[in-house]
Amino acid sequence: MRPFPGEEERTAEVAKELHGLLNVAESLHNFWLTHPKDEWIQKSKLSSRVVNVAVMLDIQASRLFRAAIEECRRADAYAANILTRTLFETVLALRFLLAGEDLRIAVEQAKTKKGKAPKVDDAGKPVYCSKIPTPSMPEALIHLLTREKRADLFLAHAFFQDVRSSEKLTAFPGIEENVRKLQAGAAASIASYEKEIGVEWSSILHNSHEFSGMNVETLAKLMGKPFEQWYDAIYHLQSINVHAGGSIRNIHIKDDQKLQAAFVSSVSEVRQVLPTSITMFFIAIDTIHEAVGYGPDVDHAYASIKRRYEAQMKT
């Protein structure tokens, strides 16, 4: 593709002024990509389905991290921030999956918006929701979710989402029949997932677009440090870039008050997003390594690259 105006010059500036951070990012990515994992996965005490979901999220985190760093290299902090925001959500999901076996979530019947009466669906069945437990909640509402249960929720959510997406395709002429055939074939799988996760969680996932039934803000609070602080301090700023309202960041006002297109980011803008991407990927590696166990080489390499990173942040 044709470079944006000023892209080659700004890319050269970024490479020169941020070479230390970029080298750390590349070392971190290259190490984790090439580190042998299969033999350690075979030795892991985690169940196969927990490991499988963890590996899927790990691959997603690796792709997002690499893409974010590549955007930083070409001086596009705007796109890098969007990718890093998604990286945060991916690492949050990874932490939810691999948190300790004492993860507690409250499940209760949802309330209607008007009158706060117990909520039911069109068939009259109770609609449930998940919440962060509080000391005042009855113990009967608190669910202790094992990692296996969380893996099942993640897989069921992914399948339910696909089914919901296919339903929307029936609005397009010519493919309705094919979609209906797919839906008919999915019925048995839906029933299997519902049996596996239970009535309450089936209701939660069918009525939510989140694998935990909680939005990003609530799940970040449940998972605690550093996710709650990250959500409050950084996630909101990154979210601005996702929506059309963030388009104001694609212009600059010159000294003569004239507007100028901003096709590339400043070195300062790139410097701001690089540490957020690197930090998130450190957390991703630490989370999956602690739970699965990828051998002592990870500990040594992680510590070495972390020292380099901390040294760069002091300069």
Side-chain angles (χ1 to χ4, degrees):
M1 288 187 180
R2 186 180 182 86
F4 284 129
E7 181 179 335
E8 294 178 351
E9 294 84 353
R10 186 59 50 78
T11 298
E13 290 179 44
V14 167
K16 179 181 179 181
E17 298 190 33
L18 302 179
H19 68 279
L21 280 174
L22 289 169
N23 285 343
V24 166
E26 184 173 353
S27 296
L28 187 62
H29 170 264
N30 290 351
F31 161 72
W32 191 240
L33 180 66
T34 59
H35 177 68
K37 300 182 180 70
D38 289 349
E39 65 172 294
W40 299 103
I41 288 175
Q42 295 298 323
K43 297 176 182 178
S44 177
K45 296 179 180 180
L46 297 180
S47 69
S48 59
R49 67 179 184 275
V50 172
V51 172
N52 288 341
V53 175
V55 169
M56 287 190 290
L57 288 167
D58 179 38
I59 293 170
Q60 180 167 306
S62 297
R63 294 182 66 178
L64 289 166
F65 177 64
R66 181 181 184 275
I69 299 307
E70 289 301 313
E71 292 302 326
C72 286
R73 287 190 184 279
R74 41 183 305 274
D76 194 342
Y78 182 83
N81 260 312
I82 294 173
L83 290 162
T84 303
R85 176 184 182 271
T86 308
L87 176 60
F88 168 82
E89 294 183 9
T90 302
V91 180
L92 179 62
L94 188 62
R95 183 61 65 89
F96 170 78
L97 171 71
L98 297 177
E101 293 291 342
D102 57 347
L103 184 65
R104 293 156 56 89
I105 292 183
V107 174
E108 64 180 6
Q109 189 171 355
K111 301 292 192 297
T112 58
K113 292 182 179 179
K114 295 182 180 180
K116 295 186 177 180
K119 189 175 182 179
V120 296
D121 61 18
D122 294 338
K125 296 180 180 179
V127 173
Y128 293 93
C129 64
S130 57
K131 294 182 176 180
I132 297 177
T134 63
S136 62
M137 285 182 174
E139 194 64 27
L141 297 180
I142 310 302
H143 287 214
L144 191 63
L145 298 187
T146 65
R147 286 169 172 157
E148 286 74 17
K149 180 76 169 187
R150 282 170 257 159
D152 289 338
L153 293 178
F154 189 92
L155 294 171
H157 162 263
F159 189 80
F160 293 167
Q161 286 282 80
D162 284 346
V163 172
R164 278 198 288 259
S165 297
S166 69
E167 290 171 353
K168 296 181 184 298
L169 294 177
T170 57
F172 293 90
I175 64 171
E176 306 99 315
E177 188 62 30
N178 288 336
V179 171
R180 290 193 177 93
K181 288 180 180 179
L182 290 173
Q183 291 174 335
S189 295
I190 292 174
S192 176
Y193 277 119
E194 289 177 339
K195 181 179 179 181
E196 189 69 32
I197 65 178
V199 173
E200 294 177 340
W201 277 104
S202 294
S203 171
I204 290 170
L205 296 191
H206 279 307
N207 290 280
S208 169
H209 293 285
E210 307 296 339
F211 50 83
S212 65
M214 302 177 179
N215 60 24
V216 176
E217 179 180 11
T218 304
L219 185 58
K221 288 180 180 179
L222 176 67
M223 302 318 299
K225 293 182 179 180
F227 298 98
E228 183 176 8
Q229 294 82 353
W230 193 284
Y231 181 89
D232 291 337
I234 299 175
Y235 185 84
H236 281 295
L237 296 175
Q238 294 173 328
S239 296
I240 295 173
N241 290 3
V242 176
H243 305 290
S247 58
I248 194 171
R249 285 165 170 72
N250 297 311
I251 60 169
H252 286 158
I253 300 177
K254 300 174 66 175
D255 293 338
D256 57 4
Q257 299 300 303
K258 290 184 178 180
L259 298 181
Q260 182 182 45
F263 287 106
V264 293
S265 305
S266 66
V267 173
S268 176
E269 289 171 327
V270 177
R271 184 182 284 112
Q272 289 175 351
V273 69
L274 263 174
T276 62
S277 297
I278 294 171
T279 299
M280 265 299 111
F281 201 58
F282 267 121
I283 295 172
I285 293 174
D286 182 61
T287 298
I288 194 169
H289 172 51
E290 182 178 350
V292 177
Y294 283 107
D297 288 350
V298 174
D299 296 317
H300 300 319
Y302 185 98
S304 175
I305 300 173
K306 191 73 175 290
R307 285 193 297 269
R308 288 170 52 194
Y309 175 53
E310 290 171 349
Q312 286 298 320
M313 292 302 293
K314 293 178 181 178
T315 60

